[in-house]
């Protein structure tokens, strides 16, 4: 069909032999033939077979379709003009945290229930989602094996608005939610092109001010953060092909419940000192103090000690106490370059905890000087030359071995530039953990990069007592909010932890049994849990303290790590008396295994 044919069809048509004229609802056959090729043949065939002329029906349908299309076009044009001049909008990219905040908020609104365009997602709950007194908990029989094959079917899926435009009212105001996706081309490895789908959210409201949208986004953020007040967000570096290509350098990988500070087995004076130092560093007035004196606003901590003594646990507890996200970096990742590391540190938020675990395993060890030729005399020129040649050959050999190693990670200079270079990030709390502090290079742990060193030791008698009482204390009711805690240094005992508990003072060093030391009036014992929720098999608080004292008296000081003792108690977590009765046998077997340097000691 062409435009000329349509105009020719609209010209006056001569009357037929029977002098019949076409009405408005019955278009001429020429017009119908122009819009529907072969219409004359089809209509003649239907007239012969059915005895019914479809010209009137087709004409009415075409008129209705044309009228509807015209109204739709006019409405879209008018709405676009209204939206351009009388509506405001805010866009959010998918790599921003607000993207998840808005989608999480919409899941609980009517728009996710009444909309005709939704996307369903499987809901994977965390291990700690089961609240106290839940129906599933009551149905479990501890004497039988637990089978979770049918539990997933009981978890309903989550629904979110799909791509397109969705309209809803909130607090008496009209809003529009629009979710779009577009294909973006980024450069990949080896110069290849990679297509990735980037999503955006667009929130629109009536009015020339974006303040209603800002208020809605603030409500979405507060709603999201309220659910995670007692949780710590874990972030890790994004994959290599995602870094710096329209997305952030960090991925949110987990959300875990914040660890109370009292669960960290460490000397309480050291806890007080670390918490007081970090609290003073994070105070809002501290950056100005640093700037006025020309000091870089950075703080670094080195946690060192044997494996299993709670170094990483203290870092997690610090992030939970101060409500900070924790950013974990592995320096041995083969795809991590020095440029990426610098950009990662530059993209950190204003306040956060950066955790570098096992820094000694990343190859950043103390520089070793070659020892050959040290005893050569000063007047022996031949010995000096031989020594220099040996040093050069050894250096070339080391460089060749490093070049063959694809998992060597970044260099020491690259890490130092990222930590405190000219363009390094300020405001973060840097925590390094190591099992062998003597192997670290002096440049890495010098003052200014590492401001405080915390030594973790093997379990003392009082730490063993704390582990036992915490393991068998009654469970506290689950809490959905986190109470803010203020730390006022210096003090004999600081308020720390998520629930405003007190850190007890250091247990006095003594050779007397712990049962006698507990009678001292100035000693603060761990907090007691409510008695009405005491699980079966858990003794009363007074009896539990006595059993804990006897348990600690039967284990030697500075011999076992907290992880070893906790592993022993976990296998007997419902029977404290059994743990006390069998600890002597366990101790002897562990000591025999340590003497024989065996790694398969029974638990």
């Amino acid at each position: 069909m062409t435009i000329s044919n349509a105009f020719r069809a609209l010209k006056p048509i001569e009357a037929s032999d029977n002098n019949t004229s076409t009405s408005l609802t019955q278009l001429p056959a020429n017009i119908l033939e122009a819009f529907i090729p072969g219409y004359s043949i089809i209509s003649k065939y239907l007239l012969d077979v059915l005895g019914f002329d479809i010209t009137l029906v087709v004409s009415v349908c075409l008129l209705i379709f044309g009228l509807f299309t015209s109204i739709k076009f006019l409405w879209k044009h008018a709405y676009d003009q209204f939206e351009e001049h009388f509506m405001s909008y805010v866009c959010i990219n998918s790599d921003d945290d607000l993207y998840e905040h808005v989608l999480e908020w919409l899941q609980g609104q009517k728009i996710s229930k009444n909309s005709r365009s939704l996307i369903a997602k499987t809901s994977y709950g965390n291990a700690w989602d089961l609240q106290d007194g839940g129906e599933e908990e009551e149905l479990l029989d501890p004497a039988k094996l637990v089978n979770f094959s049918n539990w997933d079917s009981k978890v309903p899926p989550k629904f979110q608005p799909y791509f397109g435009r969705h309209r809803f009212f909130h607090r008496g105001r009209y809003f529009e939610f629009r979710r779009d996706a577009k294909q973006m081309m980024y450069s990949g490895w080896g110069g290849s092109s990679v297509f990735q789908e980037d999503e955006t959210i667009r929130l629109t409201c009536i009015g020339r001010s974006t303040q209603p949208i800002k208020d809605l986004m603030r409500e979405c953020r507060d709603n999201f953060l309220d659910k995670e007040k007692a949780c710590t967000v874990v972030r890790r570096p994004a994959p290599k092909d995602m870094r710096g290509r329209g997305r952030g350098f960090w991925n949110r990988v987990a959300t875990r419940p914040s660890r109370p500070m009292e669960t960290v087995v460490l000397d309480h004076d050291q806890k007080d000192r670390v918490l007081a130092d970090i609290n003073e560093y994070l105070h809002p007035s501290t950056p100005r103090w640093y700037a006025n004196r020309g000091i870089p606003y950075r703080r670094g901590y080195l946690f060192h000690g044997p494996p299993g003594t709670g170094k990483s646990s203290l870092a997690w507890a610090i992030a939970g106490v101060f409500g900070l996200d924790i950013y974990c970096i592995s320096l041995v990742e083969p795809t991590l370059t020095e440029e990426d590391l610098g950009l990662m540190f530059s993209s950190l938020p204003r306040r956060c905890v950066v955790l570098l675990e096992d820094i000694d395993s990343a190859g950043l060890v103390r520089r070793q000087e070659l020892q050959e030729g040290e005893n050569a005399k000063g007047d022996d020129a031949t010995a000096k030359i031989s020594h220099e040649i040996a040093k050069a050959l050894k250096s070339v050999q080391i460089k060749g071995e490093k070049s063959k190693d694809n998992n060597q990670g970044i260099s020491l200079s690259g890490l130092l530039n990222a930590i405190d270079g000219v363009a390094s990030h300020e405001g973060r709390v840097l925590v390094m953990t190591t099992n062998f502090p003597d192997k670290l290079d002096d440049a890495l742990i010098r003052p200014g990069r590492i401001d405080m060193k915390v030594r973790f030791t093997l379990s003392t008698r009082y730490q063993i007592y704390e582990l036992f009482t915490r393991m068998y204390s009654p469970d506290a009711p689950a809490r959905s909010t986190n109470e803010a805690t203020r730390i006022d240094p210096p003090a004999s005992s600081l308020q720390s932890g998520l629930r405003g508990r007190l850190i007890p003072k250091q247990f006095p060093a003594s050779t007397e049994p712990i049962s006698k030391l507990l009678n001292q009036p100035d000693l603060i014992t761990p907090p007691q849990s409510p008695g009405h929720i005491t699980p079966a098999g858990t003794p009363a608080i007074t009896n539990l303290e006595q059993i804990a004292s006897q348990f600690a008296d039967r284990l030697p000081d500075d011999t076992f790590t907290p992880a070893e003792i906790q592993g022993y108690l976990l296998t007997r977590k419902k029977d404290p008396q059994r743990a006390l009765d069998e600890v002597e046998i366990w101790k002897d077997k562990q000591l025999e295994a340590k003497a024989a340097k065996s790694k398969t000691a029974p638990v």
Side-chain angles (χ1 to χ4, degrees):
M1 184 191 70
T2 61
I3 302 297
S4 58
N5 294 336
F7 278 106
R8 284 197 300 269
L10 295 176
K11 292 181 179 180
I13 304 175
E14 296 181 358
S16 58
D17 296 340
N18 54 3
N19 297 327
T20 58
S21 60
T22 59
S23 62
L24 182 63
T25 58
Q26 186 174 2
L27 298 178
N30 293 340
I31 296 179
L32 298 178
E33 185 69 26
F35 282 96
I36 306 176
Y39 170 77
S40 58
I41 300 176
I42 297 174
S43 61
K44 183 177 180 182
Y45 173 77
L46 293 177
L47 181 62
D48 296 339
V49 174
L50 303 177
F52 176 73
D53 189 4
I54 63 172
T55 303
L56 178 62
V57 177
V58 174
S59 300
V60 172
C61 292
L62 288 177
L63 290 175
I64 294 175
F65 175 77
L67 181 63
F68 177 78
T69 304
S70 301
I71 294 175
K72 185 178 179 180
F73 173 78
L74 294 175
W75 169 257
K76 184 178 183 302
H77 180 72
Y79 186 84
D80 292 342
Q81 294 297 320
F82 180 81
E83 183 180 23
E84 180 179 357
H85 297 90
F86 300 101
M87 298 184 73
S88 305
Y89 63 88
V90 175
C91 294
I92 307 173
N93 293 326
S94 58
D95 60 338
D96 195 278
D97 289 342
L98 283 173
Y99 184 87
E100 296 295 334
H101 297 175
V102 174
L103 290 181
E104 183 72 19
W105 180 83
L106 287 174
Q107 289 180 4
Q109 305 301 316
K110 292 183 178 179
I111 182 176
S112 298
K113 301 177 182 179
N114 302 332
S115 178
R116 295 186 295 113
S117 178
L118 298 174
I119 180 173
K121 292 186 175 182
T122 303
S123 177
Y124 294 101
N126 296 318
W128 51 85
D129 285 343
L130 187 61
Q131 301 296 329
D132 291 341
E135 181 181 356
E136 295 87 351
E137 186 178 1
E138 297 177 356
L139 296 177
L140 291 179
D141 187 357
K144 298 181 180 180
L145 296 178
V146 182
N147 192 329
F148 292 93
S149 59
N150 297 326
W151 278 41
D152 291 340
S153 60
K154 300 179 182 179
V155 181
K158 295 182 179 180
F159 296 95
Q160 296 177 352
Y162 195 53
F163 298 116
R165 181 174 298 181
H166 306 264
R167 301 170 178 84
F168 65 96
F169 285 88
H170 182 65
R171 299 187 185 277
R173 184 178 290 273
Y174 174 80
F175 289 94
E176 279 189 3
F177 170 84
R178 185 170 180 176
R179 185 177 182 180
D180 299 317
K182 56 182 179 180
Q183 292 287 339
M184 301 294 293
M185 183 178 67
Y186 301 106
S187 58
W189 288 4
S192 61
S193 299
V194 178
F195 288 91
Q196 295 179 356
E197 188 176 79
D198 290 347
E199 296 184 9
T200 57
I201 286 178
R202 176 171 171 174
L203 292 173
T204 310
C205 70
I206 298 177
R208 299 182 63 87
S209 175
T210 59
Q211 189 60 39
I213 305 178
K214 296 178 181 178
D215 295 339
L216 177 62
M217 294 172 60
R218 188 177 297 108
E219 181 178 348
C220 296
R221 182 199 61 187
D222 295 343
N223 174 77
F224 186 87
L225 296 180
D226 285 342
K227 297 180 179 179
E228 298 187 349
K229 272 189 175 181
C231 297
T232 300
V233 178
V234 186
R235 300 180 187 272
R236 292 189 181 275
K240 177 66 178 179
D241 56 346
M242 305 287 289
R243 301 172 193 163
R245 296 181 174 89
R247 297 179 181 269
F249 283 89
W250 299 94
N251 279 348
R252 177 177 177 145
V253 296
T255 302
R256 300 180 179 177
S258 299
R259 178 161 185 168
M261 182 60 68
E262 61 268 23
T263 62
V264 179
V265 180
L266 180 65
D267 176 74
H268 298 299
D269 285 345
Q270 293 197 75
K271 281 187 188 179
D272 295 354
R273 186 163 55 94
V274 172
L275 290 175
D277 186 80
I278 297 179
N279 183 73
E280 183 180 1
Y281 169 72
L282 295 176
H283 195 276
S285 62
T286 303
R288 183 181 301 176
W289 187 92
Y290 274 75
N292 292 338
R293 288 155 180 80
I295 304 175
Y297 183 54
R298 292 185 287 265
R299 203 71 177 162
Y301 301 86
L302 178 65
F303 298 163
H304 61 92
T309 53
K311 299 182 293 294
S312 300
S313 300
L314 180 58
W316 287 94
I318 289 173
V321 167
F322 295 99
L324 303 177
D325 292 353
I326 189 166
Y327 291 75
C328 303
I329 304 178
S330 176
L331 298 179
V332 297
E333 181 183 351
T335 62
L336 184 62
T337 62
E338 296 181 4
E339 181 182 1
D340 290 340
L341 185 65
L343 293 175
M344 287 177 186
F345 271 82
S346 301
S347 61
L348 291 171
R350 182 180 179 183
R351 294 183 179 91
C352 64
V353 175
V354 182
L355 179 60
L356 300 178
E357 291 187 284
D358 298 328
I359 195 70
D360 55 279
S361 64
L364 307 176
V365 297
R366 185 187 299 275
R367 299 185 184 93
Q368 301 292 339
E369 298 292 339
L370 298 177
Q371 300 297 328
E372 295 82 1
E374 285 186 353
N375 298 327
K377 296 182 179 180
D379 56 350
D380 192 353
T382 305
K384 285 186 175 181
I385 296 174
S386 302
H387 174 59
E388 295 297 331
I389 294 176
K391 286 180 62 177
L393 293 176
K394 186 68 174 179
S395 176
V396 172
Q397 182 181 1
I398 293 175
K399 291 181 179 180
E401 292 176 355
K402 288 187 176 180
S403 62
K404 295 178 182 179
D405 188 4
N406 295 327
N407 297 327
Q408 63 180 347
I410 64 173
S411 64
L412 176 62
S413 61
L415 177 61
L416 298 181
N417 290 331
I419 292 176
D420 64 348
V422 177
S424 61
H425 183 268
E426 295 188 352
R428 83 289 184 277
V429 177
L430 178 64
V431 177
M432 299 184 187
T433 66
T434 178
N435 300 330
F436 307 99
D438 295 335
K439 291 185 177 181
L440 299 180
D441 194 281
D442 293 336
L444 180 63
I445 58 178
R446 69 162 177 81
R449 291 173 179 152
I450 296 298
D451 303 285
M452 181 178 295
K453 301 176 183 179
V454 182
R455 181 171 176 265
F456 288 75
T457 62
L458 300 177
S459 299
T460 61
R461 300 173 67 194
Y462 182 65
Q463 291 173 350
I464 297 172
Y465 167 83
E466 279 188 317
L467 278 170
F468 193 94
T469 53
R470 188 177 72 244
M471 179 66 65
Y472 296 105
S473 295
D475 295 335
R479 292 191 179 187
S480 58
T481 58
N482 179 15
E483 299 176 5
T485 301
R486 180 175 177 266
I487 303 175
D488 297 323
S492 59
S493 60
L494 296 175
Q495 279 191 335
S496 67
L498 300 176
R499 298 175 177 88
R501 299 179 178 177
L502 294 176
I503 295 180
K505 299 179 182 178
Q506 181 183 9
F507 195 81
S510 175
T511 58
E512 298 180 358
I514 294 179
S515 57
K516 296 182 179 180
L517 295 174
L518 286 175
N519 295 328
Q520 298 182 6
D522 61 338
L523 191 65
I524 304 177
T525 57
Q528 299 180 358
S529 301
H532 66 279
I533 58 171
T534 301
T538 301
I541 297 298
T542 305
N543 190 23
L544 178 61
E545 293 177 352
Q546 296 176 358
I547 298 177
S549 301
Q550 298 174 18
F551 180 83
D553 290 338
R554 297 182 184 182
L555 291 178
D557 283 342
D558 300 327
T559 304
F560 301 105
T561 65
E564 290 175 330
I565 299 176
Q566 181 174 279
Y568 168 78
L569 296 177
L570 280 175
T571 58
R572 302 156 178 86
K573 60 180 178 294
K574 294 185 178 181
D575 194 347
Q577 188 62 45
R578 178 191 168 202
L580 177 62
D581 297 337
E582 298 178 358
V583 67
E584 293 284 354
I585 301 176
W586 176 82
K587 178 190 68 174
D588 295 338
K589 292 182 178 179
Q590 289 289 328
L591 292 177
E592 292 176 2
K594 289 179 181 292
K597 297 183 179 181
S598 175
K599 298 182 180 180
T600 59
V603 179

